[in-house]
Amino acid sequence: MLLPPSEGKAGRGDGPPLDIGRLSSPALNPVRELLVDRLTELCSDEETAAETLKLTARQRHYVKLNRELRTAPTLAAWELYNGVLYDRLGLGDLPDGNQVLIASPLWGLLRPSDRVPPYRMPMSAQLPGTERLAKLWRPAVAETLGALDELIVDMRSGTYTQVWGPKDRGVSVRVFKEDASGKRTVVTHMAKATRGEVARALLASTVQPTTPAELGDFLASRGWKVELSEPATRSKPWLLDVLRT
């Protein structure tokens, strides 16, 4: 299962300093090292960093957090991310989070148990001396995820799908609000909450869908209204629409 990160994050860790060598997916470490160096260098100047990272006045404290990435206390990724999706998901009380990978502009991919410090860097950021983040991450993430041969449930937003897509081995989960006339709209808060609920249902269950059809049947059996669409080509994922009223 692929999840997006959240803008909401814990303010501080209580564990040892960052050790990139201990993070999962070691093929990502060269890009991780490069980005940590570039981000800490950028944040030596608060004004430049705030402009580059598009920080509001209330987010300026992230400049200091980014500057201290190498020395700041860390916490597990499941504790770090605390936005709407993660509130509904509740990774901390699930028996096994090893099926989860969290996409990140700074770390590439994280397992819930990976320990990193709080940070802020949007995927849209252009750090000095680097390529666009989606392009920079693409080869290493493709190497890491390309070998997977099981069903991939993709909860990421469009920003992160630019890095890598699972093609027809994956199912992209979308959430729409549907009114009485059948008109569908995207409500961001509802979409995040629903993705968290869907992810929790899957991770907490002893039933593990192995095909897109089994995934759709599983969610329908739990009371969700879903529609599954086959990809037009093998280079695209299946689409699973969850419809809320």
Side-chain angles (χ1 to χ4, degrees):
M1 182 179 296
L2 297 178
L3 297 178
S6 65
E7 288 195 17
K9 297 181 182 69
R12 189 168 180 82
D14 59 4
L18 175 66
D19 183 349
I20 289 178
R22 295 180 65 87
L23 298 180
S24 61
S25 306
L28 306 179
N29 286 351
V31 181
R32 289 166 171 161
E33 293 280 6
L34 171 66
L35 290 178
V36 168
D37 285 345
R38 293 291 185 268
L39 187 57
T40 54
E41 291 167 6
L42 171 69
C43 290
S44 63
D45 184 303
E46 181 171 339
E47 293 302 321
T48 301
E51 180 179 354
T52 301
L53 302 176
K54 301 178 177 62
L55 302 178
T56 66
R58 295 181 61 182
Q59 296 168 338
R60 285 279 184 125
H61 66 284
Y62 279 108
V63 175
K64 182 175 185 294
L65 292 177
N66 287 345
R67 193 164 56 236
E68 297 173 350
L69 283 172
R70 294 282 186 186
T71 58
T74 59
L75 69 170
W78 70 264
E79 298 174 294
L80 173 65
Y81 298 113
N82 57 16
V84 175
L85 186 155
Y86 288 89
D87 287 345
R88 298 298 179 95
L89 171 55
L91 271 173
D93 60 11
L94 287 173
D96 183 11
N98 288 333
Q99 301 174 64
V100 173
L101 283 167
I102 302 168
S104 166
L106 182 56
W107 312 110
L109 298 165
L110 292 172
R111 293 287 184 185
S113 59
D114 283 331
R115 301 190 68 89
V116 294
Y119 68 95
R120 186 174 180 87
M121 186 178 74
M123 182 61 84
S124 60
Q126 176 70 66
L127 300 187
T130 67
E131 299 177 281
R132 289 288 180 184
L133 293 176
K135 183 178 180 181
L136 182 64
W137 276 119
R138 194 168 293 130
V141 170
E143 178 183 347
T144 300
L145 297 180
L148 299 178
D149 59 3
E150 63 262 43
L151 179 69
I152 297 171
V153 181
D154 193 351
M155 303 278 191
R156 299 172 301 163
S157 60
T159 303
Y160 297 96
T161 61
Q162 295 173 17
V163 176
W164 180 84
K167 301 183 179 180
D168 63 349
R169 292 183 295 118
V171 180
S172 179
V173 178
R174 308 187 301 182
V175 180
F176 296 98
K177 183 177 181 180
E178 185 177 57
D179 65 19
S181 70
K183 181 181 178 181
R184 298 177 183 181
T185 56
V186 176
V187 180
T188 301
H189 186 279
M190 175 188 287
K192 292 177 179 178
T194 301
R195 285 192 180 101
E197 293 164 1
V198 168
R200 182 173 180 84
L202 286 165
L203 294 172
S205 176
T206 56
V207 177
Q208 296 299 315
T210 59
T211 68
E214 288 180 4
L215 175 62
D217 290 344
F218 171 85
L219 295 179
S221 73
R222 265 56 176 184
W224 276 292
K225 181 180 178 182
V226 299
E227 289 185 358
L228 182 66
S229 301
E230 190 172 349
T233 68
R234 295 193 63 185
S235 64
K236 301 292 184 181
W238 291 71
L239 299 177
L240 183 69
D241 293 343
V242 182
L243 307 176
R244 308 300 297 263
T245 56

